[in-house]
Amino acid sequence: MSRTLNLGILAHVDAGKTSLTERLLHTVGVIDEIGSVDEGSTRTDTLALERRRGITIKSAVVSFAIDDLTVNLIDTPGHPDFIAEVERVLDVLDGAVLVVSAVEGVQAQTRVLMRTLRRLRIPTLIFVNKIDRRGARHQDLLESIAARLTPGIVPMGEVAGLGTPEAHFLPYDPLPPRLLELLAEYDDDLLAAYVDDGTAVPETRLRAALAARTGGSLVHPVFHGSAITGSGIAELVDGVRELLPSTDADHGGDTAGGGDGEAAAPPSGTVFKVERGPAGEKIAYVRMFDGTVRVRDRLAFRDGAREGKVTAISVFEGGADVRATAVSAGRIARLWGLADIRIGDTVGVPRERAAAAHGHHFAPPTLETVVLPARAEDGAALHLALTQLAEQDPLIGLRHDELRREISVSLYGEVQKEVVQATLADEYGLDVTFRETTTICVERLAGVGAAVEFNKKDGNPFLATVGLRVEPAPAGSGVAFRLEVELGSMPYAFFKAVEDTVRETLEQGLHGWRVPDCTVTMTHSGYSPRQSHAHQGFDKSMSSTGADFRGLTPLVLTDALRRAGTRVHEPMHRFRIDAPADTLGAVLPVLAALRAVPRETRTSGAAVRLEGLVPAAGVHALEQRLPGPTNGEGELETAFDHYAPVGRAAVPSRPRTDLNPLDRKEYLLHLTRRTGV
């Protein structure tokens, strides 16, 4: 029975992930010639922009075989601006290889990735690349990995000729006795054998124990090598085959299409990537966890809310993308025909694991910018292009301003803005510019507020009664909608119209920012029953419609928000700076100028470590300014931590993109123009 392993390659930028992928494909015989990142000839960096810049932007899948094991290898971006690409890959992996440069060592992004891999319990091997480069480190780097990534590392060999073109990896054979001590911490039977027999534990049992503990994400074997020279790659391939857990290819479905149907599990999979074909059709990359999907199958997705007919399937085999009539559990495939599919959708039966892992593994983007077409007549084309790009990147949100006819896009960083610009030019022929990048804030309720408007009273122009109370909720709890009125007091469609409009309205609070965490309770309801004139149809001037509730709700909710009050919160990043101790006096004024607050300072010999918080708005400036006062030796690591009340006098606001229910007269005027009433 064949096995399948879905393997992710992860690392910080420039660690050599794509070069390692090329070397792996060459080692297993998929390609005859190794591509070059510098020359733009690699197998997985297929976008023109990736080839020009020499970085991975989109995840790519390529397949190869190691004996009876089929490996679907996924090369992911390393630059933090493209963390969304990494995020969606994590949910479909069986195992991972985390690449660390022997020269640059553990970087901030390496720590972010390893923390996430450990939290999700994804079995991970560590590959130390570039041992042939001048300045490469070995023993002190292992100590850094143990201190900064995980203490459960298992070196799988030594390095000879470090830092020279002749550098090569010397694997342990047999495994060293000290490995037994480490594994015995996780295995009672092995511990008993160790205590009873000393080091006389068979090699086969030791390797089996290592594979089991690696599969449980308790230990992380460390290999060394060079993607350029090929040293250590064969040993890494063996480690992938022997130490990472795989899936039986026939699990959950009958690939031959036969069987009695009773043993076959229903299909279940996760969409981790969506792209568009030459004709603009959507193509969904799906990891199948159970069952089998065949061409012409009708497939439910988005938890059963949507359905589509699969018109074509391709799978990854031998380094190629080949057409197939079916795809079974454990494999990755591309599916055509699911027009409404989105990244993150479950196909077929939702999985318990997917539900448990629902939500983002990394922080959301905290920056945004307005995208402007160079030519006014390209506005509609830009809208369509950005909508399609957003479909391919679920963490990149769009904000449409119909009044000003502008579109804002959320970002992780400035590099991503350059990529959006280049993608629009290369793939859509659109020349665009950007306004200054700004920080995305949120608003939180300061107290409790309530408001109500009654049908046909006090200038209410809508045939509806709506009363709402807003209350603050803990950070991260989201928006909850509740009823204090009888559900049968009016048609359910009217309650649904109120709830949907509440959630939509909360996207823009009193200062224009999203209100993320609160409880909204409907306290009053009422409507005008359906009426009609004799021998005539329904008269909506006398009878309530959903439009009445959709129109009134923003006015009532905004009034309740005013009475509760809101306070703008800005995103805060935790930072860690490692620098020479004698530069501390020069670093502190830089932090103060950016409103950064050091929380802890530790000095160790000639080095100092500063940890604290800095507003997201100052992170980019901190990255640019730190090299100066630290003589280029300062290392900065930042990550989103939480939202905090804005600590400056000028409260940031964002232009509204709705009909502005803060101004009743303007709101009603805009609404009248929109509806034509």
Side-chain angles (χ1 to χ4, degrees), residues 10-35:
L10 297 88
H12 64 82
V13 67
D14 291 335
K17 296 182 318 304
T18 302
S19 296
L20 176 59
T21 299
E22 290 291 308
R23 178 60 71 173
L24 285 170
L25 295 178
H26 182 267
T27 300
V28 298
V30 169
I31 57 177
D32 296 325
E33 185 176 346
I34 297 175

Side-chain angles (χ1 to χ4, degrees), residues 224-574:
H224 290 72
S226 168
I228 299 301
T229 67
S231 174
I233 303 302
E235 289 78 9
L236 177 63
V237 169
D238 290 340
V240 167
R241 183 186 68 242
E242 297 172 3
L243 301 177
L244 293 179
S246 57
T247 303
D248 292 338
D250 297 330
H251 171 68
D254 53 330
T255 54
D260 58 12
E262 293 183 358
S268 177
T270 297
V271 178
F272 67 93
K273 180 177 179 178
V274 172
E275 64 183 17
R276 288 187 177 269
E281 74 278 16
K282 278 190 179 181
I283 306 171
Y285 285 66
V286 179
R287 156 71 194 267
M288 294 299 299
F289 289 97
D290 285 300
T292 300
V293 172
R294 299 175 176 82
V295 175
R296 295 185 295 278
D297 279 355
R298 295 204 64 84
L299 193 60
F301 55 92
R302 202 166 307 155
D303 295 335
R306 295 285 192 277
E307 188 178 80
K309 183 178 180 180
V310 178
T311 58
I313 297 174
S314 70
V315 295
F316 299 92
E317 290 183 358
D321 178 15
V322 298
R323 289 300 176 106
T325 58
V327 57
S328 57
R331 305 198 69 177
I332 289 176
R334 302 202 303 164
L335 304 184
W336 281 258
L338 308 178
D340 295 327
I341 201 77
R342 296 188 310 210
I343 292 170
D345 281 349
T346 56
V347 296
V349 178
R351 300 173 56 244
E352 290 185 10
R353 174 184 166 185
H358 181 69
H360 299 321
H361 306 310
F362 301 102
T366 56
L367 304 173
E368 71 175 356
T369 184
V370 174
V371 188
L372 301 170
R375 299 180 302 175
E377 58 267 28
D378 287 339
L382 176 60
H383 182 280
L384 176 61
L386 286 174
T387 299
Q388 291 184 356
L389 290 181
E391 289 175 349
Q392 300 170 27
D393 203 334
L395 295 189
I396 305 305
L398 298 181
R399 191 167 177 267
H400 301 278
D401 187 338
E402 296 180 9
L403 300 179
R404 300 172 188 82
R405 297 189 176 182
E406 295 176 347
I407 303 176
S408 298
V409 59
S410 55
L411 303 166
Y412 280 97
E414 294 296 319
V415 173
Q416 191 180 17
K417 186 163 66 174
E418 297 174 24
V419 169
V420 169
Q421 185 176 38
T423 303
L424 290 172
D426 292 347
E427 298 186 15
Y428 297 92
L430 295 171
D431 187 15
V432 300
T433 58
F434 298 91
R435 291 211 184 120
E436 182 182 0
T437 302
T438 57
T439 305
I440 301 175
C441 299
V442 299
E443 293 183 49
R444 298 201 185 280
L445 293 177
V448 178
V452 60
E453 293 208 24
F454 294 97
N455 189 356
K456 302 178 183 178
K457 291 184 180 180
D458 301 323
N460 178 3
F462 302 100
L463 296 178
T465 293
V466 173
L468 298 171
R469 183 176 66 250
V470 295
E471 303 168 85
S477 60
V479 175
F481 182 78
R482 298 174 181 171
L483 297 178
E484 276 187 2
V485 295
E486 292 292 335
L487 187 58
S489 61
M490 64 180 188
Y492 173 75
F494 295 162
F495 287 112
K496 189 69 167 63
V498 172
E499 180 178 359
D500 290 347
T501 308
V502 161
R503 296 184 183 278
E504 180 181 339
T505 304
L506 288 173
E507 289 298 312
Q508 300 182 72
L510 303 181
H511 299 277
W513 305 105
R514 183 171 61 93
V515 183
D517 304 302
C518 63
T519 299
V520 181
T521 303
M522 190 169 185
T523 59
H524 297 76
S525 65
Y527 74 109
S528 296
R530 181 182 181 94
Q531 299 184 48
S532 59
H533 298 287
H535 309 296
Q536 295 182 15
F538 169 62
D539 185 354
K540 66 179 182 180
S541 68
M542 302 169 58
S543 312
S544 297
T545 66
D548 288 300
F549 289 90
R550 288 190 293 271
L552 180 59
T553 297
L555 292 174
V556 177
L557 181 57
T558 301
D559 195 10
L561 290 175
R562 277 199 190 98
R563 298 181 184 189
T566 65
R567 187 170 183 183
V568 177
H569 286 56
E570 63 184 334
M572 301 294 293
H573 285 232
R574 60 183 179 275

Side-chain angles (χ1 to χ4, degrees), residues 112-122 124 146 148-152 217-218 220:
V112 171
L113 292 170
M114 191 62 185
R115 278 198 301 265
T116 307
L117 289 167
R118 294 185 68 194
R119 185 171 69 249
L120 298 177
R121 300 186 67 81
I122 295 175
T124 302
R148 304 183 65 186
L149 295 182
T150 171
S217 298
L218 296 173
H220 304 281

